[in-house]
Amino acid sequence: RGYPLMAFTQALPIGCEVSCTTRLGKVVEGKVIALDEGNHVIVVQSITSSGGPGKSDLHIVNLNNVSNLMVIKVGDGQQISLPSLNIQKIEKRFQENITQSAVLLEQ
């Protein structure tokens, strides 16, 4: 059970656990590890979909494209150590998403 985003008058604190659904129906659940209030963007760290031990997935979520956001657990706002990023993997996924978006637009 969670609390709707409207219940919070302040920005989502770092460390809180959220579940959000995008307008396209994708559900992202995990811990907020970064926040950009000006651009309405959060970075959510979740259990990895590949199942690798000690790894996690990072989701950059534009809150303008979220249809539902629930705060599952309120965080304490303390800084969280950020995981190292594989820039080549990020670039590959970025290019795949651009290609996928182009295909969808053509339909």
Side-chain angles (χ1 to χ4, degrees):
R1 187 172 194 204
Y3 305 95
L5 179 62
M6 293 161 282
F8 294 89
T9 56
Q10 299 178 342
L12 294 169
I14 301 297
C16 68
E17 293 182 23
V18 297
S19 175
C20 54
T21 306
T22 69
R23 291 184 181 162
L24 297 175
K26 180 179 179 180
V27 176
V28 176
E29 293 183 349
K31 184 180 286 193
V32 175
I33 61 169
L35 166 69
D36 182 342
E37 291 180 62
N39 291 311
H40 306 287
V41 172
I42 59 174
V43 178
V44 178
Q45 181 180 20
S46 65
I47 297 171
T48 184
S49 57
S50 65
K55 295 185 178 182
S56 59
D57 289 337
L58 297 179
H59 305 272
I60 300 172
V61 180
N62 182 338
L63 296 175
N64 294 323
N65 295 323
V66 169
S67 61
N68 185 32
L69 190 145
M70 298 290 287
V71 176
I72 299 167
K73 180 180 174 188
V74 178
D76 54 14
Q78 298 233 349
Q79 288 293 92
I80 295 174
S81 61
L82 299 176
S84 62
L85 300 176
N86 181 335
I87 301 300
Q88 291 173 333
K89 188 175 181 179
I90 292 170
E91 180 63 30
K92 180 182 174 191
R93 286 186 180 175
F94 178 72
Q95 292 302 325
E96 288 171 354
N97 284 332
I98 289 175
T99 302
Q100 184 181 27
S101 296
V103 168
L104 291 173
L105 288 173
E106 291 175 0
Q107 295 178 352

